[in-house]
Amino acid sequence: MPADFPLLLVPGLICDDRVFAAQIAAFPGATAMPGWGQTDSLTAMAQRVLDTAPDRFALLGHSMGARVALEVIRIAPARVAALALVSTGVHPVANGEADKRHALRDIGRMQGMAALVDKWLPPMIATPAHERLYAPMRAMCIAQGLPAYEAQIKALLHRPEVDSLLPTIACPTLSCTGALDVWSPPAQHEAMAAIIPGASLTIVPNAGHFLPAEQPEALNAAIAAWLDRIA
């Protein structure tokens, strides 16, 4: 990792720095945002990143965290030496999306956060890693609490458009997802890589949506190659 550009990792919806344990261990000086609590806008999340980050840094966002990373680029592009968008999307709010997210919220309100997580989490971890990862990822998500889920889905449901932003990204960019990710499928990342000038694309086999924990060695290899592109 270039010494002048430390790696900052940005977690997604009801996640925290635990999802990046393998990346923090592999890259000296790498740090992760601790989670979002009840912050309810992507712009506010991006400002928290900028308030925490050094003057210039490499930025990797996972899932909702990649949408936060894009807002960082929108606010302060000169501070980002390189950008990685992992297991994410750039589409606007889809028909029915609010209803689905609010249905999970209502499960949480009626049955508790554990019930919400047990409905939401299983499809996100691919079968090869499910037995190893489900319990620790479940504990991480439950620990965030229902108020955090409610605030963060508000942020997602009011997300800014990014179609006009993607072609303006000028730093080395990695678009990366798991081959088995049903939430952020390979075709979605192929389309993102085609729009962002000079972006590279990596599809990791045998990985679902929790790619950083499911296939950490493969993702770390992609991160190392991406960081090597920083001049």
Side-chain angles (χ1 to χ4, degrees), residues 141-153:
C141 294
I142 291 172
Q144 309 308 306
L146 183 61
Y149 177 79
E150 295 192 8
Q152 292 171 35
I153 64 166

Side-chain angles (χ1 to χ4, degrees), residues 43-225:
T43 301
M45 294 174 187
Q47 192 58 58
R48 283 180 58 186
V49 172
L50 289 165
D51 290 345
T52 301
D55 289 341
R56 202 147 188 258
F57 53 97
L59 183 61
L60 182 151
H62 173 250
S63 192
M64 183 186 76
R67 289 188 177 271
V68 175
L70 287 169
E71 294 312 302
V72 172
I73 287 282
R74 193 192 306 271
I75 296 168
R79 291 183 60 186
V80 181
L83 174 68
L85 304 172
V86 177
S87 308
T88 195
V90 295
H91 51 279
V93 175
N95 290 334
E97 179 180 340
D99 291 341
K100 291 176 182 178
R101 294 191 185 278
H102 290 154
L104 283 168
R105 175 204 64 193
D106 292 344
I107 289 173
R109 288 177 175 178
M110 292 183 291
Q111 302 176 41
M113 190 64 180
L116 184 160
V117 172
D118 285 337
K119 181 72 172 178
W120 173 76
L121 181 61
M124 295 198 180
I125 303 175
T127 299
H130 201 276
E131 183 174 349
R132 171 175 60 88
L133 281 182
Y134 189 76
M137 294 297 99
R138 178 180 187 269
M140 175 188 69
C141 294
I142 291 172
Q144 309 308 306
L146 183 61
Y149 177 79
E150 295 192 8
Q152 292 171 35
I153 64 166
K154 178 181 177 182
L156 281 171
L157 291 173
H158 293 85
R159 56 188 182 255
E161 69 83 24
V162 293
D163 286 346
S164 63
L165 178 66
L166 298 182
T168 72
I169 297 173
C171 62
T173 300
L174 169 66
S175 176
C176 182
T177 195
L180 305 179
D181 190 338
V182 297
W183 294 90
S184 304
Q188 195 161 281
H189 276 263
E190 291 166 1
M192 290 160 52
I195 295 170
I196 300 169
S200 60
L201 174 70
T202 299
I203 307 299
V204 177
N206 300 316
H209 193 68
F210 273 78
L211 171 57
E214 291 185 48
Q215 294 291 343
E217 292 183 0
L219 178 59
N220 289 352
I223 291 171

Side-chain angles (χ1 to χ4, degrees), residues 8-24:
L8 181 57
L9 304 157
V10 185
L13 177 67
I14 56 170
C15 292
D16 60 28
D17 52 356
R18 282 173 277 188
V19 77
F20 294 123
Q23 288 70 50
I24 294 169

